[in-house]
Amino acid sequence: DGGITQSPKYLFRKEGQNVTLSCEQNLNHDAMYWYRQDPGQGLRLIYYSQIVNDFQKGDIAEGYSVSREKKESFPLTVTSAQKNPTAFYLCASSRKAGDSADTQYFGPGTRLTVL
Amino acid sequence: AQKVTQAQTEISVVEKEDVTLDCVYETRDTTYYLFWYKQPPSGELVFLIRRNSFDEQNEISGRYSWNFQKSTSSFNFTITASQVVDSAVYFCACWAGSYQLTFGKGTKLSVIP
């Protein structure tokens, strides 16, 4: 089945540690996105990538890093510089990005808790 | 920049009742797209509908219908004969010529059996 997978579903981190969240898609989509969701809030964009080896910061990129070495993969690293990383992280992809309003499709999410 | 307001934080209805979720958007662009997503308790956002600013026709899909009114900048979502499986958080979002979707804060719908 085509879709977006995220792993792990739950992740626990000690303060001061970096952690990497995985996102893989087999939809052959060019664009991929990372969002953060806090309780009672909408989604906020962390990073997005329109093409392999290229990515741009979203509204809340501080304390996060990404890479896009393969079209199907867009991992997110939450660094120790992120002051309040406990949240639900959602990965999405769309056929194109930029000046196109292609529908974004979402993965099942990763819930990160800092202990 | 766009802004999306979902004034209803939580709504509870009894099964089989109709319910309307409100969405008001703000954008200076003449070309824009509006979306609705459903987030069940499992967490994954499920795409429901995408509508562009030039198409004001209402849309119906089974028990779901959407009312787009440019005059009031609203894109409301109605569920007819609600079911327990409709219980979820529903998000309205707007795209207007940039790289990102702007989401509202969501409306939590609880359908009571």
Side-chain angles (χ1 to χ4, degrees):
Chain A
D1 283 0
I4 302 171
T5 57
Q6 291 185 242
S7 62
K9 187 170 183 177
Y10 298 96
L11 186 57
F12 298 90
R13 187 194 96 173
K14 292 182 180 178
E15 284 196 26
Q17 285 182 338
N18 292 356
V19 290
T20 297
L21 283 57
S22 169
C23 177
E24 304 273 335
Q25 55 98 0
N26 61 5
L27 300 168
N28 200 31
H29 284 173
D30 286 332
M32 297 186 75
Y33 311 80
W34 274 106
Y35 290 90
R36 171 181 171 139
Q37 184 181 19
D38 294 284
Q41 301 295 315
L43 278 67
R44 292 183 291 168
L45 184 67
I46 304 173
Y47 269 98
Y48 72 102
S49 168
Q50 299 184 62
I51 197 169
V52 173
N53 292 324
D54 183 61
F55 47 83
Q56 285 80 40
K57 294 181 179 180
D59 295 330
I60 56 166
E62 185 175 351
Y64 300 97
S65 66
V66 294
S67 63
R68 187 90 186 272
E69 297 176 0
K70 298 186 296 183
K71 185 176 184 177
E72 58 270 22
S73 178
F74 191 40
L76 173 74
T77 297
V78 184
T79 75
S80 56
Q82 169 51 234
K83 293 187 181 355
N84 185 18
T86 295
F88 188 53
Y89 291 87
L90 285 155
C91 178
S93 71
S94 66
R95 203 161 47 90
K96 295 184 292 183
D99 61 352
S100 163
D102 279 346
T103 298
Q104 293 184 22
Y105 296 93
F106 286 80
T110 293
R111 192 167 298 279
L112 173 63
T113 303
V114 175
L115 304 172
Chain B
Q2 298 81 249
K3 183 179 178 181
V4 177
T5 302
Q6 295 180 255
Q8 304 151 308
T9 306
E10 294 192 37
I11 301 176
S12 290
V13 298
V14 177
E15 199 171 21
K16 297 185 183 177
E17 286 184 347
D18 299 347
V19 58
T20 295
L21 309 182
D22 297 333
C23 173
V24 174
Y25 62 91
E26 294 176 32
T27 178
R28 295 178 183 173
D29 293 86
T30 55
T31 300
Y32 53 89
Y33 290 78
L34 300 168
F35 299 79
W36 276 96
Y37 287 87
K38 173 182 180 180
Q39 186 177 42
S42 61
E44 180 174 350
L45 260 72
V46 178
F47 165 71
L48 296 178
I49 190 171
R50 170 179 178 262
R51 175 54 53 89
N52 74 56
S53 53
F54 299 108
D55 183 2
E56 284 195 74
Q57 281 192 337
N58 290 335
E59 174 130 354
I60 298 174
S61 176
R63 295 185 297 106
Y64 294 171
S65 62
W66 290 269
N67 183 352
F68 176 28
Q69 292 196 340
K70 288 177 77 170
S71 60
T72 56
S73 297
S74 65
F75 187 42
N76 296 338
F77 173 31
T78 296
I79 302 174
T80 303
S82 60
Q83 300 176 3
V84 173
V85 293
D86 296 327
S87 296
V89 180
Y90 291 86
F91 289 97
C92 181
C94 178
W95 178 97
S98 66
Y99 54 83
Q100 68 174 2
L101 283 175
T102 298
F103 285 84
K105 293 189 176 182
T107 296
K108 182 178 181 180
L109 174 65
S110 298
V111 180
I112 304 164

